[in-house]
Amino acid sequence: MDLSKLSIHFIKGYDGRRPLPDGYLQRDKLMPYFSVVYPTEGYYELSVEDGPLRTVPPDGCFLVPPGVRHTLLHRSDTGQLRDRWLFFSVMYRDVLDVTAWFHPPLFLSGTAAVPFRAAVDGLLALSEDPHRAAFQKLRIAGQLLEDLWEVSDFRPAEHRLDPILPAVELIRHRYAQRLTVEDMAKACGMSVSAFHRTFREAARTTPMQYLMDHRLKQAAGLLLQGSLTLSQIAECCGFCDEFHLSHNFKRGYGVSPRDYRRSALR
């Protein structure tokens, strides 16, 4: 892997200051970024992709790659749960999310969880100097990748998309505009039929579904990052209007954009 082609797309820490009641359930969460979460009061029960709920111990943390559906049950003997978490994404060649190549355990506990909890804490204690804070984020992201390597099954996929990389780059840089399969096929120097077949073999989905998934991921990221209105997010991500965004977002993520923003940042 050419390290010069790696870049941090997003990394941010959060502190769940609002307590959540015992038994609070969040079903089928789907995040656009790799998530590291640990409780500061209480504990979780976690399931992934419709699997059984498993208890994350109070001294542990859980790790969820981007695009993995998971359900959280918040538990606390005191009736309240507080937590801290981070989201991060590291891109390769500006088109592939490296964090999706890591397949870690659902959760870690004890000493195994220490470096990941420390990464969350580090992001919540960044320097007030913006330049130093940027360097701290670089260090934390690099350490996170190394720590993930130690505990994960790593399945790189940097060569799988090579035949369709021009189309993937086109989608990444022009997803807010109108794009057709003909545009993508032309970028790859293929006929539409050959491109469609090649794309399905490489990406395991259709070109237009890949475009839709990318638009939804960008919308989900904007919902988490700032205070843009749904109309503004729709315009930024290539949707006709707020209704078009909401309709497709609910189909893809199982909840409305407003509910997604509210539940993800609780």
Side-chain angles (χ1 to χ4, degrees):
M1 181 187 297
D2 185 351
L3 293 180
S4 68
K5 295 179 180 177
L6 283 178
S7 61
I8 297 175
H9 175 61
F10 183 71
I11 184 167
K12 188 173 182 179
Y14 300 85
D15 191 347
R17 296 184 181 278
R18 292 181 293 176
L20 297 175
D22 180 52
Y24 179 77
L25 184 67
Q26 293 178 292
R27 292 185 181 275
D28 294 328
K29 293 190 67 172
L30 189 64
M31 307 305 293
Y33 306 123
F34 196 102
S35 307
V36 179
V37 188
Y38 78 87
T40 56
E41 181 181 344
Y43 63 97
Y44 293 102
E45 292 181 18
L46 169 71
S47 71
V48 171
E49 302 291 1
D50 298 321
L53 284 168
R54 299 173 59 189
T55 300
V56 183
D59 67 341
C61 65
F62 69 84
L63 315 173
V64 180
V68 174
R69 291 187 183 276
H70 56 288
T71 293
L72 285 174
L73 180 63
H74 300 252
R75 305 311 301 262
S76 175
D77 295 336
T78 64
Q80 303 289 344
L81 182 140
R82 298 176 186 271
D83 53 4
R84 286 184 160 196
W85 68 98
L86 67 79
F87 297 141
F88 88 116
S89 176
V90 178
M91 305 302 293
Y92 180 66
R93 297 173 72 169
D94 205 31
V95 295
L96 301 176
D97 188 349
V98 172
T99 66
W101 301 349
F102 291 94
H103 300 267
L106 288 182
F107 61 83
L108 301 170
S109 61
T111 57
V114 168
F116 296 96
R117 292 169 66 121
V120 178
D121 294 341
L123 286 172
L124 292 170
L126 295 173
S127 170
E128 294 183 0
D129 183 297
H131 300 95
R132 185 179 181 188
F135 297 142
Q136 289 173 327
K137 288 181 178 181
L138 280 172
R139 174 180 54 79
I140 291 170
Q143 188 63 54
L144 269 171
L145 291 175
E146 184 176 353
D147 292 335
L148 280 172
W149 172 272
E150 294 294 334
V151 302
S152 301
D153 176 16
F154 183 64
R155 306 173 198 167
E158 65 264 38
H159 301 303
R160 193 185 66 186
L161 297 183
D162 280 353
I164 58 168
L165 191 59
V168 174
E169 290 177 337
L170 184 68
I171 288 171
R172 177 160 179 79
H173 296 296
R174 289 182 50 197
Y175 64 89
Q177 304 171 29
R178 183 178 182 274
L179 284 177
T180 66
V181 175
E182 288 78 9
D183 295 329
M184 301 177 207
K186 183 178 180 180
C188 293
M190 301 181 191
S191 68
V192 170
S193 59
F195 169 72
H196 203 278
R197 181 177 62 254
T198 303
F199 197 100
R200 283 189 67 96
E201 291 173 352
R204 299 185 178 91
T205 188
T206 67
M208 295 309 291
Q209 186 58 53
Y210 189 96
L211 172 61
M212 176 58 71
D213 291 344
H214 185 76
R215 285 172 169 165
L216 291 175
K217 180 177 180 179
Q218 299 308 306
L222 290 175
L223 287 167
L224 297 178
Q225 290 183 38
S227 57
L228 292 179
T229 66
L230 294 189
S231 294
Q232 290 171 324
I233 292 174
E235 182 178 357
C236 289
C237 296
F239 294 97
C240 300
D241 51 32
E242 179 181 333
F243 175 79
H244 188 216
L245 166 63
S246 297
H247 175 73
N248 284 282
F249 196 93
K250 190 161 187 178
R251 286 181 62 187
Y253 281 66
V255 294
S256 71
R258 284 191 175 86
D259 287 344
Y260 182 86
R261 171 181 271 169
R262 184 164 47 247
S263 65
L265 297 180
R266 285 202 66 172

